[in-house]
Amino acid sequence: LDLSDNNLSSTIPPQLGRLGEDLNILDISMNKLSGQIPSDLSQLQGASVNLNGNTKLLNPAPLDLCFFPNFDLKDVSTICPHERNALKQFYDSANGGEWAKNKNWADPHVSHCDWHGITCNGSNKTIKIELSSNGLSGTLSKSIGDLSSIKEVDLGDNAIKGSIMPEIGRLYNIERLRLNHNFFVGQVPSDVGNLV
């Protein structure tokens, strides 16, 4: 479905998401569309979704859409903030749907700065994760290493399993790291020595 460069205005109809598996391309780029990108577009698994050139669309895009390999705006940091994507991977890996408190983590449009346990600075960079005693399980995602501005991580007193990822050694700004009282196995990666 190619409706690009047609001077279309108003909001994106959520019904476009119902076109489903039969749709290979949804191209509504270079129009005058505005408002929130409907989360229904996340139902277009496998399709190319092209929205560029619609400068009045509200940020951020639906979280699931940001993981589409053929979403033309997935690498635009205002549309799909890299840290939000990294935190979503962390959430999925640690069984976030089962946490005691996970307010806003599953909301497709809410900024990661408004998710339970996340604190951001004025530039919307994650500086703190405080999720101790919150029922985290599963494993620790290597995406945590992508949170380059983080100063404090407290994941203590949970049930996280597996190994501590070496990517945690990329948290060069860390001042406090608390992972105790989980079920980690193996040795602490030598990369953690980079944090001293």
Side-chain angles (χ1 to χ4, degrees), residues 89-160:
Q89 291 170 329
F90 166 78
Y91 175 81
D92 291 342
S93 182
N95 296 326
E98 300 172 4
W99 295 355
K101 295 180 183 175
N102 61 6
K103 183 179 178 187
N104 292 331
W105 281 77
D107 189 297
H109 291 289
V110 172
S111 165
H112 63 284
C113 297
D114 295 323
W115 294 356
H116 171 78
I118 301 299
T119 303
C120 294
N121 62 17
S123 301
N124 290 331
K125 297 288 186 181
T126 305
I127 58 171
K128 182 178 179 181
I129 299 176
E130 171 56 67
L131 293 170
S132 63
S133 303
N134 198 41
L136 280 68
S137 60
T139 59
L140 186 62
S141 171
K142 64 182 181 179
S143 68
I144 199 166
D146 296 335
L147 304 172
S148 59
S149 298
I150 202 149
K151 294 182 178 191
E152 186 174 339
V153 175
D154 188 347
L155 304 177
D157 302 301
N158 283 294
I160 304 171

Side-chain angles (χ1 to χ4, degrees), residues 30-47:
M30 307 310 290
N31 282 294
K32 297 178 181 177
L33 297 168
S34 61
Q36 204 166 53
I37 300 169
S39 57
D40 302 68
L41 295 187
S42 297
Q43 297 173 25
L44 299 175
Q45 294 286 330

